[in-house]
Amino acid sequence: MTTPPSTAPTDIASPWGGVGRTLDLDGPVHWVDFGGPDTETGATEPAPVALVHGLGGSHLNWVGIAPALAARRRVVAIDLPGFGLTPALGRATSVNHNAALLSRFIHEVLGRPVVLVGNSMGGMVSLLLADRRPEQVAGLALVDPALPNPGARPDPQVAATFAMYAVPRVGELVLTRYNKSVSDRQRVLGTVALCFADPSRADVDVVEAGVELAAWRRSLPDPEGEFLGAARSLLRVLRGRREYDRIMRDLDRPVLLIHGTRDRLVPVSAARRAARLNPAWRTAYLEGMGHTPQLESPEDVLGHLEPWLESLD
């Protein structure tokens, strides 16, 4: 087993009140504790929130909204194996394996049902967990989750990129060449350009933290393999959409679906389709927002998320 570099920037979320911690789940799992309010003895504590990032993301995806959420309830953010400050170290990085690991994390760290807030791949992981371990889930907030969209024409750049990811050896070769040809800052800004409808909305401090994190991940033995393992598993779930549709249709937990209308990765039509599968879901479509509205416009996301969370208490 390869040991990750000892210089991991574990305090990277400290400007937003986050405290980095590590848990052993068949290998180190990094997570960030954003704290919560002081609760009077005997008072009923609201369900804690567990934030689950998307493909290529990390706990930094949540720093725009986590401090505000922590004013009323315990808030934590996990770095799934293969992402953020959690190297895989031989563990599988598929969405199914990460759903199982998320279940263990909830049991070990929080010990009670949680509200899962998942973006992109993190939304898929959250849905898989809610289907398999519903007793661990008090509710789900899905922020631009990874969803099937049969019959729709995808964004050409996104379609070409994921087609490349899907091919064994080709994905590894192209991704390795790309990572060697660009700087860490270029990689982060490229992700912003893809995930934001308006890249000028990106928070400079979050970008700088992302560059620091990207530099550390570059030092790992096989970051491309870790990423592609997750990407390919996500594509398999989307292709087997009947089972994924069943999970969404049969889900009996409260759900808030938030989706940007200018999301290039998961078009808003996919979100509208998912909402039709389960009319009990509450929906909020954010006009002019991209794939990561919790970073692009945190106030808009909080404007829908906070009242919904209060309705669960």
Side-chain angles (χ1 to χ4, degrees), residues 98-117:
N98 275 332
L101 184 138
L102 179 60
S103 174
R104 293 179 62 193
F105 172 82
I106 291 169
H107 176 74
E108 293 288 337
V109 173
L110 299 169
R112 56 177 298 200
V114 305
V115 178
L116 294 170
V117 181

Side-chain angles (χ1 to χ4, degrees), residues 210-231:
V211 172
E212 183 181 2
L213 177 56
W216 180 81
R217 286 208 59 80
R218 188 189 288 271
S219 70
L220 297 178
D222 185 25
E224 294 83 12
E226 295 179 353
F227 176 90
L228 289 171

Side-chain angles (χ1 to χ4, degrees), residues 113-163:
V114 305
V115 178
L116 294 170
V117 181
N119 173 231
S120 191
M121 180 190 75
M124 177 182 284
V125 169
S126 298
L127 282 163
L128 294 173
L129 175 57
D131 180 62
R132 296 165 190 176
R133 297 293 305 274
E135 72 279 3
Q136 288 190 305
V137 180
L140 296 97
L142 306 173
V143 183
D144 291 66
L147 297 168
N149 198 23
R153 180 177 296 179
D155 178 279
Q157 179 185 348
V158 172
T161 298
F162 277 86

Side-chain angles (χ1 to χ4, degrees), residues 159-173:
T161 298
F162 277 86
M164 177 264 302
Y165 289 163
V167 181
R169 296 190 181 89
V170 173
E172 284 81 355
L173 178 62

Side-chain angles (χ1 to χ4, degrees), residues 27-225:
V29 172
H30 178 265
W31 59 283
V32 173
D33 192 343
F34 287 96
D38 293 330
T39 305
E40 296 180 6
T41 303
T44 301
E45 295 185 18
V49 167
L51 305 168
V52 190
H53 63 78
L55 185 69
S58 73
H59 64 275
L60 287 175
N61 290 55
W62 301 108
V63 296
I65 67 171
L69 296 178
R72 291 195 171 105
R73 63 188 66 231
R74 177 86 183 277
V75 177
V76 302
I78 187 174
D79 282 344
L80 296 169
F83 301 96
L85 292 172
T86 302
L89 299 181
R91 292 171 292 186
T93 60
S94 72
V95 291
N96 286 298
H97 281 91
N98 275 332
L101 184 138
L102 179 60
S103 174
R104 293 179 62 193
F105 172 82
I106 291 169
H107 176 74
E108 293 288 337
V109 173
L110 299 169
R112 56 177 298 200
V114 305
V115 178
L116 294 170
V117 181
N119 173 231
S120 191
M121 180 190 75
M124 177 182 284
V125 169
S126 298
L127 282 163
L128 294 173
L129 175 57
D131 180 62
R132 296 165 190 176
R133 297 293 305 274
E135 72 279 3
Q136 288 190 305
V137 180
L140 296 97
L142 306 173
V143 183
D144 291 66
L147 297 168
N149 198 23
R153 180 177 296 179
D155 178 279
Q157 179 185 348
V158 172
T161 298
F162 277 86
M164 177 264 302
Y165 289 163
V167 181
R169 296 190 181 89
V170 173
E172 284 81 355
L173 178 62
V174 174
L175 198 55
T176 298
R177 286 180 175 175
Y178 171 76
N179 288 339
K180 288 182 178 178
S181 67
V182 299
S183 68
D184 298 315
R185 183 173 301 279
Q186 288 172 320
R187 289 174 61 195
V188 171
L189 293 178
T191 300
V192 168
L194 180 63
C195 293
F196 282 49
D198 181 357
S200 71
R201 297 186 182 121
D203 184 288
V204 173
D205 292 333
V206 178
V207 169
E208 292 302 320
V211 172
E212 183 181 2
L213 177 56
W216 180 81
R217 286 208 59 80
R218 188 189 288 271
S219 70
L220 297 178
D222 185 25
E224 294 83 12

